[in-house]
Amino acid sequence: MEIGRPLRPPPPLPPPPVAAAVAAAAAISSVLGDDDLLREILVRLGLPTSLLRAALVCRRWLCHASDPSLLRRFRDLNPPRILGAYLSTSVRPPPRLRFLPISPVPELAAAARRAGSFFDTFKGSSATVRDSRGGRLLVSTFDDRHDSTRQVCSPLSPARDTTVVPPPPPPPPIELNDDDEECLIYHYSEFLPDDGDGRSYFCVVMGYSELQTTVYLYELRGMNWVVKASASALLPLSPPKSRVMLFNNAKFYCMLSTTNKILVCDFLSSGISVIDLPGGVENNHGGCIMLSQREGSGIYLIYVKESQLHIFCHRKGGDDPGNWFLVDHICLRQVCSNLDMVSWPSVDGFSAGVKICAVGDNAKFVLLEVSGYIVFLDITTRQAEKVYELTPEDKELVIVYPLMLIWPPVFPQLKESDDQMG
């Protein structure tokens, strides 16, 4: 070999023998051609977006991917995933809602970009999120005259589906008890259903007087408000000051602001009751308690005191406070130790720098405001990450709403004559 002469690249490898290529194709066909093996592969794809892409391969794959039994198994193995969260602060003038990606992965980069640019379409008006459920948002927009418009939006859909819906219904006529001479104070709460047609949502209207509490459940059907259920009880309560509420299509839970109790309205039985908080839990400041929907029935309660996060579950049946039990306890100092938190100031036994901003269903995750940072905590894995740092210009945090990946995926509808997918 001559010194200084560049080495020649190795010659290209010869193509594999035809027999080997045929054998590889036969092996792949033996796996993907077996319906049972194919279903086992599909159910382990991990993300709904992956399942949707697999469904586009051919008609046979679509039939398997969209099968309800496979979707149930897929959801059991791959719980609903959070894509990110929308954040709004009290900065003036109000900017568009920021989207904060959470635990980003390359496969979801396109979905995160769609979610991040979604509110660019609301130029000339300010917008706020009122509820978030299953990849959909209930949004209010305000024009220069401060007139508001309600819209049900799907930021992750390719068409960015947006449907204008009517404003909440007027206050219902509530008959007071003969001994009740006080006027009514109304409080509105709006909720998206767990699944819907893009136009549906619910409105809960609570009427409070000195001696009586009445709750109406309205459902939007065909762009008209319909009373779905109501309940009333002689309970002297007051409206909540903060949005610590939960609605799971059968019961309405509301964290009362003046007492350490939770208002429970059971629309199936038309009954209203209250639940005492778990022993040792006190609703002493805003942001220390939030409720989470429990799959099946019941609720979780997430409570923060100092740097300790407690998760309680309320057993099914009865409103006795003894039905609460502690299911998890997390030291936030420990799980956030790698996030370079500056301080954990404590005031009257409570951590002034820690507030609960949002929680996931089944108490799977929590979004916290910790010493000027928005922190996402996966409760199952104990993994924490900083997703945003509040600036002096932000002044004060207003809302944080998580955005979940759409579930179930919206599969293409094929006609019998459609042969484009083989």
Side-chain angles (χ1 to χ4, degrees):
M1 182 179 68
E2 296 181 9
I3 298 176
R5 186 174 181 178
L7 296 175
R8 293 181 179 178
L13 296 174
V18 174
V22 172
I28 295 173
S29 177
S30 67
V31 173
L32 299 183
D34 185 311
D35 285 346
D36 292 335
L37 289 177
L38 176 60
R39 289 173 68 90
E40 292 302 317
I41 293 172
L42 292 175
V43 83
R44 288 169 172 80
L45 288 178
L47 293 170
T49 50
S50 301
L51 186 64
L52 180 58
R53 277 198 290 270
L56 299 177
V57 171
C58 64
R59 184 186 299 275
R60 174 170 156 262
W61 285 34
L62 170 61
C63 292
H64 285 302
S66 60
D67 181 71
S69 62
L70 185 139
L71 290 174
R72 286 192 293 270
R73 287 189 61 204
F74 188 96
R75 191 179 186 279
D76 290 340
L77 290 174
N78 312 284
R81 178 191 169 97
I82 183 172
L83 180 66
Y86 286 103
L87 172 143
S88 176
T89 60
S90 58
V91 62
R92 300 293 181 188
R96 68 179 177 86
L97 289 160
R98 298 181 182 91
F99 181 73
L100 313 174
I102 294 175
S103 301
V105 295
E107 187 170 354
L108 297 178
R113 286 194 297 270
R114 284 199 298 271
S117 62
F118 178 72
F119 282 97
D120 292 345
T121 60
F122 293 91
K123 293 179 180 179
S125 61
S126 59
T128 185
V129 178
R130 294 187 174 274
D131 195 25
S132 173
R133 173 68 56 178
R136 289 169 296 121
L137 304 174
L138 178 61
V139 175
S140 285
T141 59
F142 303 87
D143 58 22
D144 294 337
R145 296 175 298 179
H146 303 290
D147 293 331
S148 64
T149 301
R150 298 289 198 280
Q151 301 178 55
V152 176
C153 309
S154 299
L156 301 180
S157 66
R160 294 189 171 186
D161 301 330
T162 298
T163 303
V164 176
V165 293
I174 297 176
E175 295 184 5
L176 297 176
N177 186 277
D178 292 339
D179 298 328
D180 196 344
E181 298 180 356
E182 293 291 324
C183 63
L184 283 165
I185 300 175
Y186 287 97
H187 187 88
Y188 279 72
S189 302
E190 299 167 62
F191 300 88
L192 290 168
D194 288 333
D195 50 38
D197 58 5
R199 295 177 297 174
S200 298
Y201 78 100
F202 295 99
C203 182
V204 175
V205 183
M206 296 174 283
Y208 298 86
S209 68
E210 185 178 9
L211 301 176
Q212 180 177 319
T213 297
T214 303
V215 182
Y216 275 80
L217 172 63
Y218 288 85
E219 182 178 8
L220 189 63
R221 297 179 183 172
M223 306 303 283
N224 294 310
W225 287 109
V226 177
V227 176
K228 187 175 182 181
S230 64
S232 182
L234 296 177
L235 291 173
L237 304 174
S238 59
K241 294 181 180 179
S242 59
R243 194 184 189 283
V244 187
M245 307 172 186
L246 183 69
F247 177 57
N248 63 4
N249 296 358
K251 288 188 177 183
F252 172 69
Y253 300 88
C254 173
M255 188 73 228
L256 299 175
S257 58
T258 57
T259 62
N260 288 319
K261 297 180 183 294
I262 299 172
L263 175 69
V264 183
C265 181
D266 188 334
F267 292 115
L268 297 179
S269 64
S270 298
I272 291 180
S273 59
V274 293
I275 304 175
D276 289 327
L277 298 184
V281 175
E282 295 181 354
N283 187 23
N284 283 2
H285 73 91
C288 70
I289 293 177
M290 196 161 283
L291 306 177
S292 170
Q293 179 174 314
R294 183 186 180 195
E295 190 170 359
S297 63
I299 56 173
Y300 289 98
L301 183 147
I302 295 89
Y303 172 65
V304 64
K305 181 178 181 181
E306 296 182 336
S307 63
Q308 306 298 314
L309 190 74
H310 309 265
I311 302 173
F312 296 87
C313 181
H314 193 264
R315 292 187 179 94
K316 180 180 178 181
D319 298 331
D320 190 291
N323 287 333
W324 290 107
F325 62 99
L326 182 67
V327 296
D328 209 344
H329 170 264
I330 300 173
C331 176
L332 296 177
R333 289 179 184 270
Q334 180 177 350
V335 298
C336 297
S337 60
N338 64 327
L339 302 184
D340 299 323
M341 295 299 175
V342 178
S343 62
W344 295 75
S346 181
V347 178
D348 296 332
F350 289 87
S351 180
V354 182
K355 293 182 180 179
I356 303 173
C357 302
V359 299
D361 288 347
N362 297 303
K364 293 296 185 182
F365 66 81
V366 61
L367 283 154
L368 304 166
E369 181 184 353
V370 183
S371 299
Y373 294 92
I374 305 302
V375 174
F376 171 79
L377 172 61
D378 186 313
I379 293 175
T380 303
T381 64
R382 298 293 204 272
Q383 297 296 312
E385 62 178 284
K386 287 188 292 190
V387 296
Y388 184 73
E389 181 179 2
L390 295 168
T391 66
E393 291 76 18
D394 286 321
K395 294 184 180 179
E396 185 178 2
L397 184 66
V398 176
I399 62 167
V400 176
Y401 274 99
L403 180 68
M404 309 297 292
L405 289 179
I406 297 174
W407 183 262
V410 181
F411 294 101
Q413 299 294 322
L414 296 179
K415 299 179 181 179
E416 291 298 328
S417 59
D418 192 345
D419 58 357
Q420 295 181 0
M421 298 181 64

